[in-house]
């Protein structure tokens, strides 16, 4: 699961959410190197001719385009969320590299999770409602993970707080 609950103190819990990362940086470099090396194989047939210089820029453009696409994907996946539940507060921080951190705070007693099966940007869209606002949580998770997150949030928000 790309989220984890941590008990940071006797009266405080923290939920960290992050998007999937199925291609680590080392794997990305292997993919880029493989594309480059396999792209060189057809160029062996035209080695020593002028045609090589006509085809080589297309191979380099492909490798650079792949590298840029992977870097853009990594930047988009650097989004994460932290929900902190204390004795009296629920505090959500959504970290986005493009928009900066966005925060939401509510009295824990009034905070409640809601699941929107239809009508949200994704199926089984999970939001937290409280203090007159509704904020999304875990929109980057898969559909099954959002269902599990909703169940976890419902349970954790109902738990009595240790004093």
């Amino acid at each position: 699961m790309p989220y984890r609950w941590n008990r940071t103190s006797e009266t405080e819990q923290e939920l960290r959410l992050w998007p999937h990362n199925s291609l680590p940086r080392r794997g990305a470099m292997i993919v880029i190197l493989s594309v480059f090396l396999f792209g060189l194989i057809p160029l062996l047939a035209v080695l020593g001719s002028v045609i090589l210089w006509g085809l080589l820029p297309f191979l380099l453009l492909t490798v650079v385009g792949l590298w840029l696409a992977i870097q853009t994907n990594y930047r988009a996946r650097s989004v994460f969320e932290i929900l902190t539940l204390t004795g009296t507060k629920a505090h959500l921080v959504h970290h986005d590299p493009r928009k900066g951190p966005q925060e939401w705070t509510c009295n824990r007693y009034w905070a409640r999770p809601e699941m929107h099966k239809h009508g949200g940007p994704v199926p089984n869209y999970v939001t937290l409602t409280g203090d007159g606002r509704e904020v999304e949580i875990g929109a980057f998770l898969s559909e099954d993970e959002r269902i599990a997150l909703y169940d976890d949030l419902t349970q954790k928000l109902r738990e009595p707080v240790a004093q």
Side-chain angles (χ1 to χ4, degrees), residues 139-154:
F140 45 77
L141 299 176
S142 71
E143 189 172 346
D144 294 334
E145 291 164 345
R146 285 191 300 275
I147 293 170
L149 173 66
Y150 173 75
D151 294 339
D152 281 353
L153 285 173
T154 303

Side-chain angles (χ1 to χ4, degrees), residues 115-130:
M115 178 168 309
H116 307 277
K117 298 226 180 253
H118 306 289
V122 291
N124 296 319
Y125 186 60
V126 179
T127 59
L128 284 173
T129 303

Side-chain angles (χ1 to χ4, degrees), residues 53-89:
W53 298 107
L55 295 177
L56 192 59
F58 292 104
L59 173 62
L60 295 177
L61 187 64
T62 301
V63 171
V64 168
L66 180 62
W67 181 79
L68 288 173
I70 290 174
Q71 292 304 314
T72 302
N73 190 325
Y74 281 134
R75 203 169 21 263
R77 281 193 323 228
S78 63
V79 171
F80 66 96
E81 296 174 343
I82 299 173
L83 173 66
T84 306
L85 298 176
T86 63
T88 58
K89 283 177 133 178

Side-chain angles (χ1 to χ4, degrees), residues 40 42-59:
L40 286 177
L43 295 181
L44 291 176
V46 293
L47 196 61
S49 72
V50 178
I51 298 173
L52 172 71
W53 298 107
L55 295 177
L56 192 59
F58 292 104
L59 173 62

